[in-house]
Amino acid sequence: SSISAQPIAFVATAVGTQNLRLVQMTYVPTEERAESVSLAGTFNGWKAGVVPMRKKDGVWTAVLVLPPGSYEYMFVEDGERWVTDPLAPRTRDDGFGGRNAVLDLGV
């Protein structure tokens, strides 16, 4: 099972005109076989490996700092297995027969 993305704090610091959001992303693979997990999504051009996640006690985590908006994302196991967050409250068709998880960060 997976623990979906949870906003852990809202950063009040303004960068330019954008208030940034600090979001901790967490993921528990259904199998323990993953040697590495990263996040890929609209926030990083869908590049696997750019946002690596760290593993502790079987839970993979990463922290993102993003401006308000709606983002699509997937977890990438070992650089090749793309996994939709099973606990994401919303998903969208990815155009390839799968589903992207949706992370909504309020304006």
Side-chain angles (χ1 to χ4, degrees), residues 85-105:
D85 185 343
L87 296 181
R90 290 189 333 126
T91 61
R92 288 190 189 122
D93 187 318
D94 69 0
F96 300 100
R99 305 291 296 175
N100 293 330
V102 177
L103 173 64
D104 285 313
L105 299 177

Side-chain angles (χ1 to χ4, degrees), residues 71-86:
Y71 301 91
E72 295 182 29
Y73 69 95
M74 291 186 85
F75 298 110
V76 184
E77 296 180 353
D78 299 327
E80 60 186 40
R81 286 186 302 278
W82 292 69
V83 181
T84 304
D85 185 343

Side-chain angles (χ1 to χ4, degrees), residues 25-103:
M25 307 290 284
T26 58
Y27 174 62
V28 179
T30 54
E31 298 181 26
E32 286 295 319
R33 66 182 182 202
E35 297 289 325
S36 68
V37 177
S38 64
L39 276 167
T42 53
F43 48 81
N44 71 358
W46 292 102
K47 294 182 180 141
V50 174
V51 181
M53 300 184 81
R54 289 189 164 78
K55 184 179 181 181
K56 182 177 180 183
D57 299 326
V59 178
W60 295 85
T61 61
V63 174
L64 299 174
V65 179
L66 299 168
S70 181
Y71 301 91
E72 295 182 29
Y73 69 95
M74 291 186 85
F75 298 110
V76 184
E77 296 180 353
D78 299 327
E80 60 186 40
R81 286 186 302 278
W82 292 69
V83 181
T84 304
D85 185 343
L87 296 181
R90 290 189 333 126
T91 61
R92 288 190 189 122
D93 187 318
D94 69 0
F96 300 100
R99 305 291 296 175
N100 293 330
V102 177
L103 173 64

